[in-house]
Amino acid sequence: MSRLNRRDALRALLCEREKVIVVTGLGSPAYDLASCGNEPLDFPLWGAMGGAAMVGLGLALAQPEYKVLVLTGDGEMLMGLGSLATIAAQRPSNLRIVVMDNERFGETGQQHTHTAASTDLAAVAAGCGFQHIRTIRLASELEPLRVDLHALDDLLFAVVKVSPEELPRVLPPRDGAYLTHRLRAALLGAELALEA
């Protein structure tokens, strides 16, 4: 079965991005986002495997006027499955979680994840209480998802099935203090960020 190119899929989803905070899990999602540019509202996580969805939840609750997109991989989402129950219980209408599922642990040698066997992340999200869920397998399905990332006034979970090909790494900034300050300045203004 053919799979989508992860970077082409992400570029399609981020087209006309506007005011969207993007939190990435470690590894490929961070490299993919960096390949699209380096925006002040980008918040790549380094070394926090399993934490992207919960960081996204915190930002969504703290910044309700922004859409928050968590872009993560299947390996990381499997590590943080419990976060889906908490997120569904909180139900922030501005949070979107998109899992780029290549069915591999890309950072440790391309071993198969459980999504290559029997685990259906969309079904897990549904079981936790998410109402708006989809699995994307075709390029033609990306535009409706992009529209919903902006327009839907409810929590959204999507799995995008992507090719396991290893792409050249495009590294985002790695300094956590810098990334935190940059995001705070983008959200609050530079002067308020310094005071806080």
Side-chain angles (χ1 to χ4, degrees):
M1 174 185 0
S2 65
R3 302 278 177 106
L4 297 171
N5 176 284
R6 61 185 311 126
R7 292 193 179 159
D8 291 345
L10 182 57
R11 282 187 201 96
L13 292 178
L14 292 180
C15 179
E16 300 178 15
R17 173 177 167 176
E18 300 171 5
K19 286 176 46 172
V20 177
I21 301 168
V22 182
V23 177
T24 69
L26 62 83
S28 294
Y31 310 148
D32 296 342
L33 182 62
S35 77
C36 295
N38 183 23
E39 300 294 328
L41 292 177
D42 293 348
F43 196 66
L45 298 181
W46 290 98
M49 189 167 179
M54 291 306 284
V55 170
L57 172 63
L59 283 166
L61 293 173
Q63 300 294 326
E65 69 279 13
Y66 284 84
K67 302 293 186 192
V68 177
L69 169 61
V70 172
L71 180 71
T72 191
D74 49 305
E76 186 191 28
M77 194 71 260
L78 286 164
M79 190 173 227
L81 282 181
S83 65
L84 296 179
T86 300
I87 290 167
Q90 290 291 310
R91 201 176 183 91
S93 63
N94 59 329
L95 181 59
R96 290 81 176 89
I97 300 172
V98 174
V99 180
M100 302 300 252
D101 183 4
N102 65 0
E103 301 179 354
R104 302 286 193 281
F105 289 107
E107 293 301 294
T108 60
Q110 296 292 323
Q111 302 92 343
H112 284 90
T113 68
H114 298 317
T115 64
S118 58
T119 302
D120 181 340
L121 292 172
V124 172
C128 289
F130 282 69
Q131 300 294 310
H132 301 280
I133 304 158
R134 67 189 72 173
T135 299
I136 304 295
R137 290 184 171 85
L138 302 172
S140 61
E141 298 171 313
L142 291 168
E143 178 59 16
L145 175 58
R146 187 195 70 79
V147 169
D148 281 350
L149 291 176
H150 294 287
L152 188 67
D153 191 29
D154 203 356
L155 183 60
L156 172 67
F157 184 91
V159 176
V160 179
K161 291 290 192 172
V162 295
S163 168
E165 69 182 312
E166 291 193 55
L167 299 170
R169 292 184 176 183
V170 180
L171 297 178
R174 296 183 73 145
D175 184 322
Y178 165 75
L179 289 166
T180 301
H181 178 72
R182 181 180 75 171
L183 180 62
R184 290 178 71 184
L187 296 173
L188 304 174
E191 291 177 9
L192 288 176
L194 286 173
E195 292 174 12

